[in-house]
């Protein structure tokens, strides 16, 4: 396979980047009245403005040509056709089938998986109704109004993000907690706040072997038994979400209390599956279904729209431009909606676990930059923390600004102020401020010439900092679904262009294996341990130091 960075399309983009070096985005805007209209797309209720990237029609043409050269349209056909595009795990990637409400049937290796999906959705629906209505009760006859979701990675971040995002849709009186970390403090802090007789523990793990989740689940069950629940009550208070029936049963959860999903649903793409049970229990099944329907609408757009009019594709291509041709090593997710506070963490896994790879799907080292560092915070908090670097730092950081035009909780002029900040930031990043403008501002403030000389260099903003703006009317379940699906497709498209397999995660294995080998060397507190020899000097030294402290103070 020809290296994509040697292709004519890649070289054309490199030449575009060089040719644009001396042109500012400001100039691109002032010379082109149609820029906003041409570089924006509306789909599934989302509006994407990508005009504040340093692109021209020529650049967009070359980006589309690059997508064509890497076979993006064919890969799009193959993912929806259920081909085993996750080559290193020999799996299909069909999370879109989980939310397909059309009459389309998905067949995978001879099986109609749409029937499985419908059966499981029906089970989620019935269970949600029974729990929310109080028909299913806990061991003391009280309704189960509290959910503790125990899971990590995709079995935590997706439902956690969505439950937080849909706060205005929470069913009155219901409480949802998420426990992910193997640090027992998180579980202890949670257990302190709940009544065992009213709590449903949702053990979410695709594999049902993940150390953190299994440890937390076992401790939660021990606590439940110590708090008055009996072995016989466990069935009422514990359910499992998994693909691994054997492991679920071995843990002691009856398979009737198990909600299933399948190996063609990647962990970080699983919130639409049984992993979404905690969302359904928090906001009701109807709202969970609306979330799925919103995602489906975006899927329909993504699979049918031409690349140039395709919202996730253009998110992906502007990302490729910024990463590979403008040199942005990081990408900020900046939601101007407090309820999207968990979106950056969710997208960290979705993007970085998918595209943080240095080997192509066919096993060659990549010779180009792949996934950027993803980080973010809701606006306006981020403005008072790291935006300084976005505006004046030495590294280029691209950004997605996300905002609803209408707030779910109108209060005075809060939302107008929030939106004004969102718009101002994207404009400031794009425009920047030249030295003569900085000097003129200082003169207008009445500063003396020596002070102007001193301060002006610090008040210069280079500008040309790229951003996308993603608008929606309101953060509804449908809009959240469409937004998340857009990001999933964006990540897929970028993976195709970079030639990596976006659906495996071998990079998490080495640390996991080493942790298992280190664990036996850490004895209980108070117990003396032999000197460590099995690792490098740093790891041995740290291990001995920890063991000594634990021995002396235990
Ligand atoms: O971090 C690795 C990973 O495998 C993720 O991909 C996954 O979401 C997470 O662990 C949790 O896995 P599981 O759902 O099997 O417990």
């Amino acid at each position: 396979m020809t290296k994509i960075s040697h292709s004519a399309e890649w070289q054309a983009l490199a030449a575009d980047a060089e040719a644009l070096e001396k042109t500012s985005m400001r100039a691109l805007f002032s010379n082109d009245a149609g820029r906003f209209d041409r570089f924006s797309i509306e789909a599934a209720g989302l509006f994407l403005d990508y005009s504040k990237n340093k692109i021209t029609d020529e650049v967009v043409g070359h980006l589309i040509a690059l997508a064509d050269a890497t076979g993006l349209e064919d890969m799009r056909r193959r993912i929806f056709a259920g081909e085993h595009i996750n080559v290193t795990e020999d799996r299909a990637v069909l999370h879109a089938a989980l939310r397909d409400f059309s009459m389309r049937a998905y067949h995978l290796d001879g099986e109609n998986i749409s029937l499985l999906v419908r059966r499981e959705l029906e089970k989620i629906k019935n269970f949600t109704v029974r729990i929310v209505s109080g028909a299913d009760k806990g061991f003391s006859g009280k309704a189960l109004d509290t959910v503790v979701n125990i899971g990590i990675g995709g079995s935590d971040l997706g439902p956690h993000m969505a439950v937080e995002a849909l706060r205005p849709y929470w069913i009155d009186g219901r409480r949802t907690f998420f426990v992910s970390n193997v640090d027992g403090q998180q579980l202890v802090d949670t257990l302190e706040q709940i009544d065992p007789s009213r709590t449903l523990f949702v053990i979410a793990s695709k594999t049902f072997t993940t150390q953190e989740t299994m440890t937390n689940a076992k401790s939660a069950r021990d606590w439940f038994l110590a708090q008055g629940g009996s072995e016989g009550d466990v069935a009422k208070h514990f359910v499992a979400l998994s693909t691994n029936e054997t492991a679920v049963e071995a843990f002691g959860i009856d398979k009737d209390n198990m909600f299933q999903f399948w190996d063609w649903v990647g962990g970080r793409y699983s919130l639409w599956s049984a992993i979404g049970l905690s969302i359904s229990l928090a906001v009701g099944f109807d709202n969970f279904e609306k979330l799925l329907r919103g995602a489906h609408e975006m899927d329909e757009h993504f699979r049918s729209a031409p690349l140039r009019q395709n919202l996730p594709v253009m998110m992906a291509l502007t990302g490729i431009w910024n990463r590979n041709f403008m040199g942005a090593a990081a990408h900020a997710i900046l939601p101007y909606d407090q309820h999207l506070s968990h979106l950056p963490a969710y997208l960290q896994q979705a993007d970085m676990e998918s595209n943080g790879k240095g080997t192509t799907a066919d096993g060659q080292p990549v010779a180009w930059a792949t996934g950027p560092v993803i980080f973010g915070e809701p606006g306006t908090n981020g403005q008072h923390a790291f935006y300084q670097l976005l505006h004046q730092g030495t590294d280029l950081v691209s950004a997605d600004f996300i905002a609803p035009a209408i707030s779910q909780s109108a209060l005075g002029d809060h939302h107008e102020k929030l939106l004004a900040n969102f718009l101002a930031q994207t404009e400031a990043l794009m425009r920047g401020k030249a030295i003569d403008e900085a000097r003129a501002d200082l003169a207008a403030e009445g500063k003396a010439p020596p002070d102007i000389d001193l301060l002006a260099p610090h008040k210069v903003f280079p500008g040309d900092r790229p951003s996308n703006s993603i608008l929606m009317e309101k953060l509804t379940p449908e809009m959240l679904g469409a937004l998340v699906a857009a990001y999933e497709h964006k990540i897929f498209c970028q993976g195709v262009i970079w030639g990596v397999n976006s659906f495996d995660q071998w990079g998490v294995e080495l640390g996991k294996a080493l942790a298992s080998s280190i664990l036996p060397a850490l004895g209980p507190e108070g117990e003396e341990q032999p000197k460590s020899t099995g690792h490098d000097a740093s790891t041995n030294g740290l291990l001995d130091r920890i063991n000594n402290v634990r021995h002396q103070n235990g």
Side-chain angles (χ1 to χ4, degrees), residues 152-155 204-210 213 261 267-268 275 349 353 505 508-509 512:
I152 196 164
S155 301
S205 175
K206 180 175 171 180
T207 54
F208 233 72
T209 56
T210 304
T213 303
F261 61 113
R268 52 193 175 274
I275 290 293
Q349 188 202 14
E353 206 173 69
Q505 54 284 317
V508 302
E509 296 299 329
K512 270 193 209 172

Side-chain angles (χ1 to χ4, degrees), residues 401-464:
F401 287 79
I402 305 163
I406 299 168
S407 171
Q408 285 277 13
S409 328
L411 178 66
D413 62 355
H414 284 244
H415 203 60
E416 291 80 342
K417 285 177 175 157
L418 181 72
L419 291 173
N421 274 282
F422 145 62
L423 293 168
Q425 289 298 329
T426 68
E427 188 172 16
L429 287 165
M430 181 276 286
R431 287 181 63 83
K433 190 186 270 191
I435 185 85
D436 50 331
E437 292 171 316
R439 295 185 70 89
D441 284 354
L442 289 163
E445 285 169 29
K447 293 271 187 269
D451 290 338
I452 294 178
D453 291 343
L454 181 79
L455 286 173
H458 300 282
K459 302 240 177 189
V460 169
F461 291 71
D464 275 356

Side-chain angles (χ1 to χ4, degrees), residues 27 32 88 154 179 204 206 210 224 282 311 464 528 542:
D32 178 3
T88 60
V179 175
K206 180 175 171 180
T210 304
F224 173 77
L311 188 147
D464 275 356
E528 192 170 1
L542 291 167

Side-chain angles (χ1 to χ4, degrees), residues 204-320:
S205 175
K206 180 175 171 180
T207 54
F208 233 72
T209 56
T210 304
Q211 184 195 51
E212 293 89 335
T213 303
M214 292 303 104
T215 308
N216 279 322
K218 188 180 168 308
S219 298
R221 190 177 52 188
D222 291 348
W223 173 85
F224 173 77
L225 294 173
Q227 297 291 313
S230 69
E231 285 288 354
D233 296 326
V234 167
K236 292 194 192 99
H237 289 264
F238 284 75
V239 295
L241 321 176
S242 187
T243 59
N244 187 347
E245 194 176 295
T246 314
V248 167
E249 287 195 298
F251 179 83
I253 295 181
D254 195 280
K255 71 171 188 301
D256 291 342
N257 287 345
M258 172 180 170
F259 295 80
Q260 242 198 335
F261 61 113
W262 309 274
D263 72 0
W264 42 267
V265 181
R268 52 193 175 274
Y269 300 91
S270 65
L271 77 87
W272 325 99
S273 70
I275 290 293
L277 182 69
S278 297
I279 309 172
S280 181
L281 290 169
V283 299
F285 183 81
D286 287 354
N287 284 319
F288 181 58
E289 186 178 318
K290 284 179 186 169
L291 176 81
L292 268 54
R293 285 186 183 275
H296 173 59
E297 213 186 309
M298 184 55 77
D299 294 342
E300 293 293 303
H301 164 76
F302 173 63
R303 64 195 291 169
S304 59
L307 301 188
R308 178 72 178 76
Q309 278 90 47
N310 199 306
L311 188 147
V313 170
M314 291 316 299
M315 282 171 76
L317 292 180
T318 51
I320 297 273

